[in-house]
Amino acid sequence: MMLRQQNIFSIKDVEYAIFETNGKLSVMKYDQKQAVTKEDMNITIKAKQYPFSAELVSDGKINTNNLTRLDLK
């Protein structure tokens, strides 16, 4: 069950696993079973730059004007 919680559904995908002293399971998959990242494929992502800081929630209410200004709405 602990493997499934880490999205591992076959023991064949596991290179090694360690029961930590806190009772949790640390698992390392074989390299060929690891998920591919954008970095692996040399895909660059332009970081979103926000021109100003803005309050988005105030007194429990969403500020839709600032969401729109930040292009988040």
Side-chain angles (χ1 to χ4, degrees):
M1 176 137 148
M2 295 177 95
L3 288 176
R4 287 194 315 249
Q5 292 171 345
Q6 297 184 33
N7 291 324
I8 301 171
F9 297 95
S10 174
I11 192 71
K12 294 176 186 177
D13 296 346
V14 177
E15 185 170 8
Y16 65 88
I18 300 170
F19 266 112
E20 304 290 352
T21 56
N22 63 5
K24 296 195 179 209
L25 182 67
S26 295
V27 179
M28 177 60 80
K29 290 182 182 180
Y30 286 105
D31 285 340
Q32 64 269 25
K33 297 295 183 175
Q34 297 282 355
V36 176
T37 65
K38 291 180 180 178
E39 182 181 27
D40 293 335
M41 300 185 72
N42 294 320
I43 297 172
T44 56
I45 301 169
K46 183 180 175 187
K48 201 161 195 173
Q49 300 282 328
Y50 296 107
F52 60 94
S53 60
E55 187 175 63
L56 301 179
V57 179
S58 177
D59 295 325
K61 295 183 183 179
I62 298 173
N63 185 326
T64 55
N65 290 335
N66 284 346
L67 282 175
T68 302
R69 289 174 60 197
L70 291 169
D71 196 26
L72 297 174
K73 182 177 176 187

